[in-house]
């Protein structure tokens, strides 16, 4: 079991790296919202890859850490949101990430 939020964050990044997610960015948002402590952004190389990354992260969190997550967006897999509670993981197809610019919005608030 993961003992704290920092260990969980590092575990998630490790999972993303194992599946070759690209452009991984972590934003600390705990001073700006009660929504989460961290928001993690990552890219997949294709919509199929985005879905595979998200499914892998969700499965490993359940199997290795006993954490059930909520996943939204697997249908199109252009942008998949994984809600881990205190951490939100966004896996994007690169053009969709650029279009929404959520990372820029959160970075400005920090």
């Amino acid at each position: 079991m993961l003992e704290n939020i920092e260990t969980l964050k590092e575990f998630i990044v490790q999972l993303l790296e194992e599946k070759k997610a690209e452009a991984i960015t972590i934003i600390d948002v705990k001073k700006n919202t009660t929504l989460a402590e961290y928001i993690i952004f990552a890219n997949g190389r294709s919509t199929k890859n985005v879905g595979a990354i998200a499914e892998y992260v969700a499965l490993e969190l359940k199997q290795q850490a006993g954490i059930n997550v909520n996943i939204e967006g697997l249908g199109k897999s252009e942008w998949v949101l994984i809600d881990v509670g205190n951490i939100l993981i966004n896996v994007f197809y690169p053009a969709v990430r650029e279009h929404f610019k959520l990372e820029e919005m959160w970075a400005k608030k920090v």
Side-chain angles (χ1 to χ4, degrees), residues 20-26 40-44 90 92 94 97 103:
K20 308 290 190 249
E22 300 173 345
I24 300 169
T25 304
I26 303 165
I40 300 175
F41 297 91
N43 286 356
N90 295 273
F92 286 98
R97 183 174 180 176
E103 193 173 348

Side-chain angles (χ1 to χ4, degrees), residues 1 15 20-21 31 59 62-63 73 94 105 109:
M1 199 60 150
L15 294 174
K20 308 290 190 249
K31 293 180 183 172
L59 182 63
K62 182 174 182 161
Q63 289 182 343
M105 179 188 77
K109 291 185 175 198

Side-chain angles (χ1 to χ4, degrees), residues 67-84:
I67 299 171
N68 288 319
V69 301
N70 292 314
I71 301 179
E72 296 291 333
L74 273 177
K76 286 188 173 183
S77 291
E78 293 176 349
W79 170 16
V80 180
L81 172 66
I82 306 168
D83 183 349
V84 185

Side-chain angles (χ1 to χ4, degrees), residues 4-110:
N4 63 45
I5 191 78
E6 298 301 321
T7 306
L8 177 58
K9 176 185 69 168
E10 294 306 317
F11 180 64
I12 291 167
V13 169
Q14 175 189 334
L15 294 174
L16 290 167
E17 289 172 345
E18 285 173 11
K19 282 308 252 186
K20 308 290 190 249
E22 300 173 345
I24 300 169
T25 304
I26 303 165
I27 299 178
D28 182 335
V29 295
K30 59 183 157 275
K31 293 180 183 172
N32 299 81
T33 183
T34 57
L35 184 66
E37 291 188 34
Y38 294 101
I39 300 177
I40 300 175
F41 297 91
N43 286 356
R45 293 175 299 285
S46 65
T47 54
K48 185 175 181 178
N49 185 235
V50 167
I53 290 168
E55 288 176 336
Y56 176 76
V57 170
L59 182 63
E60 292 300 309
L61 283 167
K62 182 174 182 161
Q63 289 182 343
Q64 293 192 40
I67 299 171
N68 288 319
V69 301
N70 292 314
I71 301 179
E72 296 291 333
L74 273 177
K76 286 188 173 183
S77 291
E78 293 176 349
W79 170 16
V80 180
L81 172 66
I82 306 168
D83 183 349
V84 185
N86 288 335
I87 299 176
L88 298 175
I89 308 162
N90 295 273
V91 185
F92 286 98
Y93 181 67
V96 175
R97 183 174 180 176
E98 178 60 30
H99 174 76
F100 284 103
K101 300 184 186 303
L102 291 179
E103 193 173 348
E104 291 177 25
M105 179 188 77
W106 282 106
K108 288 178 185 174
K109 291 185 175 198
V110 200

